[in-house]
Amino acid sequence: MVIFGIDPGYAIVGYGVITYDGVRFSTVGYGAVTTEAGVNFSKRLNDIFTDISSLLEKYKPDCVSIEKLYFNTNTTTAIDVAQARGVILLACERMGIPVFQYTPLQVKQSITGYGRAEKRQVMEMVKSFLSLQKIPKPDDTADALALAICHGHSTGNLFGKLQKGGKV
C-alpha cells in the first residue's frame, strides 16, 4: 500500500510518501510544498492545489492520510490552514484518492504509544520506523511521514481491518 501523508498549512505543506506491507514501512519520498509570504492568498491556495495535484500524480498513492484540524487560540491562522486543507482535499477528490483523517493525539498514540508524547519523541520514532539517517526537515515533513505511518498502523492490523469493514 502506498500512503501519502500530508501536514496541511499555507506557508508549508509537509508531505511524505511511504509503502507499508503490513509489516514494514519504506520511504518513497518526502518534502514540502511552500508558498511565499506576501503573495495574494488566493494565489498561494492555487499553488498548493497545483503542487499537491502534481505530487499525487507522480506518486499515485492508494490513499492520503491528513491531519484533522483543531482550533487553538489563533483562529485566523486556523481558518487560513483550513482553506489550504480544503484545496488539498479537493486535489485528492479530483484524483479519486480516499482520504483518512487523524488527530494529533491519534498520531502520537500510533507512533509512540503515548498520546501526549513530545514532538521530538514523534520525530525520533519516524526516523526509526523508516530507518532514516536523520530526522526529515522541515518539521512539517516529519509530521506528514508520521501521519502516513499512523494510517499504516490503523489499517495494517486486524483491529484496523475490522474497523474499516475489511475481511480478515
Side-chain angles (χ1 to χ4, degrees), residues 130-152:
L130 299 174
S131 302
L132 300 172
Q133 295 296 316
K134 57 186 178 177
I135 295 170
K137 294 292 180 194
D139 290 354
D140 310 80
T141 300
D143 291 344
L145 287 165
L147 280 150
I149 293 167
C150 175
H151 182 68

Side-chain angles (χ1 to χ4, degrees), residues 31-157:
V33 169
T34 59
T35 64
E36 194 175 326
V39 173
N40 178 294
F41 195 71
S42 296
K43 166 98 171 82
R44 292 174 88 173
L45 292 175
N46 185 67
D47 291 348
I48 291 167
F49 176 82
T50 301
D51 291 351
I52 291 295
S53 294
S54 294
L55 289 166
L56 293 172
E57 182 63 36
K58 175 182 177 180
Y59 291 110
K60 299 187 182 337
D62 296 307
C63 59
V64 168
S65 176
I66 191 168
E67 185 176 77
K68 276 187 185 178
L69 286 187
Y70 60 95
F71 287 88
N72 52 19
T73 56
N74 191 345
T75 55
T76 301
T77 299
I79 290 169
D80 288 346
V81 172
Q83 291 180 79
R85 191 173 178 280
V87 299
I88 292 166
L89 294 174
L90 177 61
C92 296
E93 179 63 27
R94 284 200 168 177
M95 297 192 82
I97 302 168
V99 176
F100 299 87
Q101 304 175 56
Y102 299 93
T103 66
L105 184 84
Q106 288 172 310
V107 174
K108 290 176 181 181
Q109 178 70 40
S110 173
I111 301 296
T112 68
Y114 178 58
R116 303 280 184 220
E118 297 293 323
K119 189 170 193 71
R120 181 73 182 170
Q121 292 171 297
V122 174
M123 291 181 174
E124 286 293 337
M125 290 304 295
V126 165
K127 178 181 147 190
S128 176
F129 275 119
L130 299 174
S131 302
L132 300 172
Q133 295 296 316
K134 57 186 178 177
I135 295 170
K137 294 292 180 194
D139 290 354
D140 310 80
T141 300
D143 291 344
L145 287 165
L147 280 150
I149 293 167
C150 175
H151 182 68
H153 281 159
S154 75
T155 59
N157 60 37

Side-chain angles (χ1 to χ4, degrees), residues 9-27:
Y10 58 90
I12 301 171
V13 177
Y15 72 89
V17 186
I18 64 170
T19 59
Y20 183 58
D21 64 7
V23 178
R24 281 180 223 75
F25 293 99
S26 298
T27 308

